[in-house]
Amino acid sequence: MTSTTTRTTALITPVDPEAQDEARALAAEGRTAKAVRRLRKNSGLGLHTAPVALDLLGQGHTLPATYRQALESLRRLDAPLVAELTALLRNGEREAAIKLLRERTDIDLAGGYHLVTELESETTRPA
């Protein structure tokens, strides 16, 4: 059984659409290990998260391709977490926001940084 954290991480880690298509095709051919490697290449998907992402692709999901899309996915999956991150950013606590995101989702450091940066740019953007 897949943990909710791992599933969330898979759904908020950007993966190039071409890599998603290639992974789907490889999985359809029964080449699951190669499909997982393809998803991991040039993405922040970890060893445990990439197979979950492949399962999600097989179920018809599309993974985010950008951090903006990843942030929208996070909003749908865990709006209270996004609210906590926003509050930290408004208080100038960027590092704490990245740490909280990583603790709650297992996203890698680079992914956490970029996702928080995307949220920060929205938070500071004039309405």
Side-chain angles (χ1 to χ4, degrees):
M1 183 167 169
T2 302
S3 77
T4 303
T5 302
T6 304
R7 186 176 189 280
T8 298
T9 303
L11 288 168
I12 65 168
T13 302
V15 178
D16 181 68
E18 183 179 308
Q20 293 183 49
D21 293 341
E22 288 175 23
R24 275 191 199 96
L26 288 165
E29 295 170 4
R31 300 166 67 190
T32 306
K34 189 161 185 155
V36 168
R37 282 194 303 273
R38 180 60 186 108
L39 284 176
R40 291 191 68 209
K41 184 179 179 183
N42 300 328
S43 79
L45 291 172
L47 191 57
H48 299 291
T49 309
V52 174
L54 184 61
D55 287 343
L56 290 166
L57 288 173
Q59 296 168 14
H61 290 272
T62 300
L63 304 175
T66 66
Y67 283 102
R68 176 164 286 170
Q69 292 172 352
L71 182 56
E72 290 308 313
S73 291
L74 184 59
R75 280 193 175 102
R76 285 190 302 276
L77 295 165
D78 196 345
L81 174 58
V82 175
E84 288 181 64
L85 296 171
T86 301
L88 287 168
L89 289 171
R90 286 193 175 130
N91 289 327
E93 298 180 56
R94 179 187 226 196
E95 289 81 15
I98 294 168
K99 182 178 180 183
L100 178 63
L101 178 63
R102 293 191 67 218
E103 288 171 354
R104 297 267 185 90
T105 66
D106 290 336
I107 196 166
D108 71 338
L109 180 58
Y113 170 82
H114 290 296
L115 204 54
V116 167
T117 299
E118 182 64 36
L119 178 59
E120 188 174 42
S121 72
E122 288 185 8
T123 303
T124 59
R125 204 176 297 152

